[in-house]
Amino acid sequence: MRFGLLLLVLSFPLSPAAVAQTTVPTPASVVPPGKPAPAAASPAVAKANELTAPAGAWQLVRTIALPQPGVASLDRRGTLYVADARDNIHQYGPDGQVLNTFSPPQPGHVAQLEAWNTTKILVFYDDRQQLLLLDRFAALLGQFNLLDLLDGTARTATLAPDDRLWLLNESDLTLRQFDANAKTFTHSTPLDLLIGRSRPDFRFLREYQNNLYLVDRVNGVYVFDNLGNYRKKLPFAGLSTIGFRGDELYFLADGAVQFFHLYTLVQRAVPVPSDVAADVRQVLVGEGYAYVFTAAGILVYKL
């Protein structure tokens, strides 16, 4: 676990000013269970103008022409999966080489891709309430009709390491785990007491290192254990997605990739290349490459 963090630090050498953050969330800012904090206007970030961009940190190696790219995900091998404007799923190697393309049997809006499982890729269509499972060659393995499973509407979904499904039921505000083999729900966590009177906007769900992270654009990032028990809330409002690398959570904000250590709570920032900073929509960071998403496509950088 420390190896991934060490590699990232070596790949992104920061100036002394970048290391000394003034907006690092303290342990007290990580809201304890039962005490939801008011929604922040924007994520707690380290200011990009306080940083000195490290020379040679971003080395462009490939440009992928993919107009209006949608949601995306990296697997543990560094393979990149991206939905296009027509909701086809494109698979690329770590350096951006085209591998495969999956075209859905029927049209639908891809709301989330989850490739971290390595053997199965989850595709969630929110408009038709359907989950597809693909293999690592982007071939169809199976599918689930969520209207047959939930008494309500799923807003986001993800695949656990044990192949169970996590679903956020927006109709009754519950986080539920489904065992496809046993055809039954194994855990259910009500969220109404956590969100209080706020109007949540759930966007993303991911299980990582035995914790489950639920991104609410209004209130921040809720953290649960792998049984669905609430643990805490991270004060990062205004987000639609997050990523993980080693022991760090990361997200794009204020012209930089913000890295937040999951255990020490130390936050640092790495500014995106200045020539594309105004156009960046999303950034994914792997072990050897970073992927910068713009309206025109994807820029692949070697770290």
Side-chain angles (χ1 to χ4, degrees):
M1 295 170 65
R2 299 296 178 187
F3 175 76
L5 178 59
L6 177 60
L7 178 59
L8 185 57
V9 172
L10 294 177
S11 301
F12 290 90
L14 300 179
S15 66
V19 176
Q21 301 296 341
T22 59
T23 58
V24 174
T26 65
S29 71
V30 180
V31 181
K35 295 183 179 180
S42 61
V45 300
K47 299 298 183 181
N49 57 14
E50 297 174 357
L51 306 176
T52 301
W58 301 86
Q59 300 176 27
L60 182 64
V61 297
R62 191 182 302 274
T63 299
I64 301 173
L66 190 69
Q68 303 299 326
V71 293
S73 183
L74 284 170
D75 70 15
R76 300 187 194 190
R77 300 182 181 90
T79 306
L80 175 66
Y81 297 83
V82 185
D84 66 17
R86 296 184 177 181
D87 295 300
N88 300 304
I89 307 299
H90 298 266
Q91 182 190 48
Y92 301 95
D95 61 353
Q97 293 185 1
V98 178
L99 297 179
N100 295 292
T101 300
F102 171 77
S103 297
Q106 55 182 313
H109 176 255
V110 180
Q112 187 163 347
L113 272 175
E114 181 53 71
W116 191 249
N117 185 274
T118 70
T119 60
K120 296 178 181 178
I121 296 89
L122 179 141
V123 187
F124 171 49
Y125 296 89
D126 59 350
D127 56 349
R128 67 174 192 247
Q129 289 292 288
Q130 187 179 45
L131 294 176
L132 298 186
L133 295 179
L134 311 180
D135 65 17
R136 62 190 184 92
F137 302 106
L140 182 63
L141 285 175
Q143 57 187 336
F144 296 92
N145 186 348
L146 298 183
L147 296 176
D148 295 334
L149 302 180
L150 290 177
D151 184 15
T153 302
R155 179 60 188 269
T156 186
T158 194
L159 188 63
D162 59 3
D163 287 345
R164 295 184 181 186
L165 299 170
W166 282 107
L167 305 170
L168 189 284
N169 189 341
E170 191 174 41
S171 299
D172 62 6
L173 291 177
T174 57
L175 185 63
R176 309 192 71 182
Q177 186 186 70
F178 180 73
D179 186 333
N181 294 323
K183 307 295 184 184
T184 184
F185 284 97
T186 53
H187 301 288
S188 181
T189 302
L191 304 179
D192 51 350
L193 294 180
L194 298 180
I195 63 176
R197 296 183 178 180
S198 67
R199 292 174 136 339
D201 184 4
F202 298 114
R203 296 295 187 93
F204 183 83
L205 191 61
R206 160 75 69 83
E207 184 172 334
Y208 186 77
Q209 292 186 356
N210 295 318
N211 282 322
L212 184 66
Y213 295 83
L214 174 62
V215 175
D216 176 4
R217 189 172 176 83
V218 175
N219 295 300
V221 181
Y222 294 99
V223 184
F224 306 82
D225 65 19
N226 59 3
L227 298 179
N229 299 306
Y230 177 60
R231 297 191 62 190
K232 60 188 175 184
K233 184 172 68 176
L234 303 179
F236 302 131
L239 302 179
S240 296
T241 186
I242 56 177
F244 297 89
R245 190 176 189 273
D247 290 343
E248 291 180 300
L249 174 155
Y250 67 85
F251 55 89
L252 178 68
D254 200 28
V257 183
Q258 308 284 335
F259 291 92
F260 175 76
H261 198 283
L262 299 173
Y263 308 109
T264 66
L265 309 183
V266 172
Q267 186 175 338
R268 62 193 184 88
V270 177
V272 299
S274 58
D275 57 335
V276 296
D279 302 319
V280 177
R281 296 182 171 186
Q282 181 183 355
V283 176
L284 291 180
V285 183
E287 290 300 318
Y289 295 88
Y291 309 89
V292 175
F293 293 74
T294 69
I298 307 164
L299 304 175
V300 183
Y301 294 88
K302 186 173 179 59
L303 303 181

